[in-house]
Amino acid sequence: MSLPTEAGDLEAFLSSAKSICVLTGAGVSQESGVPTFRGADGLWRKFRAEDLATPEAFARDPLLVWEWYAWRRELIHRAQPNAAHMALVELEDRIAAQPGGRFTLLTQNVDGLHERAGSRNVIRLHGSIWRLRCTRCDTEREDRAVPLDPFPPRCACSALLRPGVVWFGEPLPEREWAQAAQAAAQADLFLVVGTSALVQPAASLPLIAKQNRARLVEINPDPTPLSDLADCVVRGKAAETLGKLRKASEPRP
Ligand code: APR
């Protein structure tokens, strides 16, 4: 099967779509200086994300996991939204202004850069690095301190607080998952940007969209398990690719 691989196809798909769903992953923030999890820059000290982002790792060594999040928080705090984040805000504005237009941004990112850029209809599938949650009673609160306290603080119930993110082996928040699955099923265009599509259940959202006859577009410098299913693959970086689309849609003098 030959795939169209031109950004021009992406432009055509975008201009005919009325209901757009976008799934983003760590690759979208890479050009903002936030390392991805599985790329060459993915290791922190000698640890992989899978060694740290689990309830078992936090139970075993809360300080180690806390320090990893403190490091990521500092990087994210210094980072600015890039052209990919901005292009998705503009796309949302354009689609939402159309009669019957629907735009939903599903993100696995916990960095909050989509919200900082101005995206409005964002569904956070994996929580937020800017929230803390009790390991016992699940009470949650926002916490934007940078640097983080050197030790994980305790909840009023005396148990340790942990980052408010979804770890391996944990279920996604129910309401967010239901909203995401519904938006995917209703999309006529589903855009997957900067995710390895290896982590379930988020990686099944493009399949839900495809089963419901959405066109599937992937933007990623590297192949993923979704590449062969996509109607259009753009082998490029998110900010570069989506940044070009922004320029293409600027009014000409
Ligand atoms: N633009 C677009 N894509 C990029 C860029 C870039 N500049 N740089 C890297 N990528 C791609 C990589 O090719 C890879 O496919 O982004 C993807 C990043 O993959 P992962 O590191 O696996 O990140 P993600 O898919 O978001 O991981 C999913 O796993 O660790 C957990 O909960 C964590 O939300 C995360 C989930």
Side-chain angles (χ1 to χ4, degrees):
M1 188 178 65
S2 73
L3 287 170
T5 53
E6 292 302 314
D9 295 308
L10 173 57
E11 268 179 66
F13 286 174
L14 285 173
S15 61
S16 62
K18 281 199 117 187
S19 177
I20 299 185
C21 225
V22 184
L23 174 67
T24 62
V28 165
S29 297
Q30 188 264 340
E31 287 150 282
S32 292
V34 183
T36 62
F37 295 102
R38 290 169 187 79
D41 55 355
L43 290 186
W44 174 74
R45 298 185 189 165
K46 60 186 184 323
F47 302 99
R48 299 174 310 143
E50 289 88 339
D51 300 327
L52 298 168
T54 70
E56 294 76 22
F58 190 70
R60 196 170 50 238
D61 194 344
L63 193 53
L64 176 72
V65 175
W66 192 253
E67 283 175 4
W68 181 50
Y69 279 96
W71 173 74
R72 285 193 75 87
R73 248 161 85 126
E74 296 212 23
L75 283 175
I76 293 165
H77 177 71
R78 283 200 300 270
Q80 295 299 323
N82 64 45
H85 298 103
M86 300 316 296
L88 293 173
V89 177
E90 288 165 18
L91 186 60
E92 176 170 20
D93 288 346
R94 182 167 72 68
I95 297 296
Q98 288 176 16
R102 232 192 319 235
F103 180 95
T104 313
L105 179 48
L106 313 172
T107 190
Q108 300 166 87
N109 297 347
V110 298
D111 56 31
L113 288 176
H114 286 303
E115 292 89 338
R116 262 170 63 191
S119 286
R120 287 167 284 134
N121 195 19
V122 183
I123 298 180
R124 283 200 302 258
L125 297 166
H126 291 172
S128 168
I129 201 166
W130 303 110
R131 297 186 72 79
L132 300 180
R133 186 165 69 247
C134 176
T135 48
R136 183 191 295 147
C137 71
D138 278 347
T139 300
E140 227 183 272
R141 66 170 158 89
E142 192 172 276
D143 182 310
R144 296 200 160 257
V146 174
L148 260 177
D149 285 346
F151 302 103
R154 291 193 179 267
C155 177
C157 83
S158 86
L160 286 181
L161 291 171
R162 54 164 276 185
V165 302
V166 176
W167 282 335
F168 290 104
E170 294 183 325
L172 267 55
E174 254 171 56
R175 187 166 51 100
E176 279 77 358
W177 174 252
Q179 288 171 340
Q182 193 186 28
Q186 289 172 347
D188 49 39
L189 179 64
F190 196 101
L191 206 58
V192 189
V193 194
T195 176
S196 58
L198 291 172
V199 175
Q200 297 292 353
S204 67
L205 289 164
L207 307 182
I208 295 177
K210 193 79 185 151
Q211 277 156 10
N212 287 278
R213 287 192 270 283
R215 276 171 164 162
L216 184 60
V217 174
E218 173 173 77
I219 301 175
N220 196 314
D222 295 316
T224 78
L226 294 174
S227 302
D228 284 346
L229 296 171
D231 299 285
C232 166
V233 176
V234 183
R235 283 276 162 259
K237 292 188 164 198
E240 255 169 46
T241 305
L242 290 169
K244 273 187 211 140
L245 285 177
R246 288 179 80 195
K247 289 204 185 83
S249 66
E250 268 171 18
R252 305 223 158 80

